[in-house]
Amino acid sequence: MRKNSEDKRYFFPNTHEALIDEETFALAQKRIATRHRPAKSEEIDLFSRLLFFRECGYKMYLQKGARTLERKHAYTFGNYRNRARNDFLCTTHYIRKTVQKELVLADLQRVLVYVKEQEQEFVRTAADCGEQAAKKALAQQKKELDKVNRRLLELNILFRKLYEDMALGRLSNEQFALLTSGYERKKAVLTKRTAELRQEIDTAAERGADVKRFVALVRRYSEIRELTYENVHEFIDRISFHELDRKTNTRKIEIFYSFLGKVDSS
């Protein structure tokens, strides 16, 4: 068997009756995506692959000891945790798991009540906001793409300059290796982010807000009193943490829901 690249494949969607609905399939894909990183207890965390730091896009990871109580478990910024290894300057970002669960449960209950009690208004408002949100997201993605491309160009220029200095004898091999350590990793991270942004930009105009699918999802639940892996990953696509506001000692947290993004019930 020889694998073809996607540009050489032909796709014919919706030619056969589906064995399962799209929502169940999407949830299964999320669960499969986290299977390679279970905790030592073989338990996949409730918010696995959902928590990110807004300013740089890096993930947040669960920190817990083998014998520590759950009230002491916390999520920390992955890039700060590895700062000595990746030579990345950033402040720490931290939130207790119990606090995170309370925040998400409260917001999820708010959204469910809003959609159930004011469904027509929700559908109308979400449809109106969908196009505006798509345009705003597209502008932000293009801005970030330009920033990433500039950083890639800077890294390439710096690498070429250091290489020329080494070739001309102004730098030793050891100095060159020291100064360029981490270059390939940084370049790979930026290149991957570039590809992700281009894909997001290409599909932004088509993505929109699938309001009907979200309403159908809400109708499947009478209420939610406790968070589970299934209901969290069914309803939520991403949770973003912003930098701490030192003046007010508060941190903004954004919850992006499946098919819609942020849901404003005001």
Side-chain angles (χ1 to χ4, degrees):
M1 183 175 69
R2 183 185 300 169
K3 284 190 176 181
N4 257 342
S5 59
E6 287 201 7
D7 61 324
K8 295 182 179 179
R9 302 178 195 171
Y10 291 93
F11 293 91
F12 302 93
N14 305 319
T15 56
H16 297 77
E17 183 180 355
L19 298 176
I20 58 173
D21 58 83
E22 289 186 31
E23 287 75 14
T24 303
F25 179 80
L27 181 61
Q29 299 311 300
K30 282 187 176 181
R31 163 111 33 196
I32 291 170
T34 62
R35 280 294 181 187
H36 66 293
R37 290 297 301 273
K40 291 182 180 179
S41 61
E42 296 302 319
E43 175 189 357
I44 299 176
D45 181 59
L46 191 67
F47 299 107
S48 177
R49 289 179 175 257
L50 292 182
L51 308 181
F52 295 85
F53 184 54
R54 176 66 180 83
E55 272 65 20
C56 64
Y58 275 84
K59 296 177 184 176
M60 297 184 71
Y61 297 90
L62 179 64
Q63 293 271 22
K64 66 175 184 178
R67 298 180 180 178
T68 57
L69 300 174
E70 185 182 14
R71 61 184 175 83
K72 293 186 177 182
H73 297 171
Y75 295 98
T76 58
F77 181 39
N79 215 30
Y80 178 80
R81 186 180 63 179
N82 299 326
R83 61 193 181 282
R85 183 174 61 201
N86 57 26
D87 192 30
F88 184 85
L89 297 178
C90 190
T91 56
T92 181
H93 309 292
Y94 165 94
I95 185 171
R96 292 278 187 191
K97 183 176 181 178
T98 52
V99 175
Q100 174 65 19
K101 288 172 67 176
E102 290 174 3
L103 290 172
V104 173
L105 179 59
D107 199 68
L108 186 53
Q109 290 173 337
R110 170 190 68 86
V111 171
L112 259 66
V113 170
Y114 171 48
V115 176
K116 287 179 178 293
E117 293 182 354
Q118 304 181 53
E119 183 176 312
Q120 292 184 350
E121 178 188 341
F122 166 74
V123 171
R124 183 176 62 255
T125 303
D128 292 340
C129 294
E131 185 177 354
Q132 298 176 16
K135 289 180 179 179
K136 184 177 179 181
L138 182 61
Q140 291 175 340
Q141 288 156 357
K142 287 182 176 179
K143 184 177 180 180
E144 184 181 352
L145 180 59
D146 289 340
K147 183 178 179 180
V148 171
N149 283 332
R150 285 196 302 272
R151 182 57 181 155
L152 272 173
L153 180 61
E154 290 171 357
L155 284 176
N156 288 331
I157 292 173
L158 177 62
F159 183 84
R160 285 199 299 269
K161 185 177 180 180
L162 290 173
Y163 184 82
E164 289 174 1
D165 287 344
M166 183 189 68
L168 295 173
R170 292 195 288 262
L171 281 178
S172 66
N173 291 340
E174 291 76 13
Q175 289 173 320
F176 176 78
L178 179 64
L179 291 171
T180 58
S181 62
Y183 165 79
E184 290 298 333
R185 186 198 61 79
K186 291 176 183 176
K187 184 178 179 180
V189 170
L190 290 171
T191 302
K192 180 182 178 182
R193 184 56 184 155
T194 299
E196 291 173 350
L197 285 167
R198 291 190 185 281
Q199 180 64 31
E200 290 174 6
I201 290 171
D202 290 341
T203 59
E206 303 173 3
R207 185 167 58 238
D210 198 337
V211 183
K212 292 182 180 179
R213 291 179 68 184
F214 190 79
V215 171
L217 178 60
V218 170
R219 287 174 178 170
R220 289 164 52 187
Y221 289 85
S222 56
E223 61 179 342
I224 293 180
R225 295 184 177 180
E226 182 181 359
L227 296 180
T228 65
Y229 181 94
E230 282 69 25
N231 60 34
V232 167
H233 286 258
E234 269 190 313
F235 278 98
I236 298 173
D237 273 338
R238 182 185 183 95
I239 302 173
S240 291
F241 290 77
H242 288 248
E243 184 67 73
L244 180 69
D245 186 335
R246 302 288 179 182
K247 294 181 179 179
T248 62
N249 198 34
T250 58
R251 186 190 303 279
K252 183 179 180 181
I253 298 176
E254 295 177 301
I255 300 178
F256 296 86
Y257 287 90
S258 301
F259 317 125
L260 296 176
K262 290 185 288 185
V263 178
D264 184 6
S265 61
S266 61

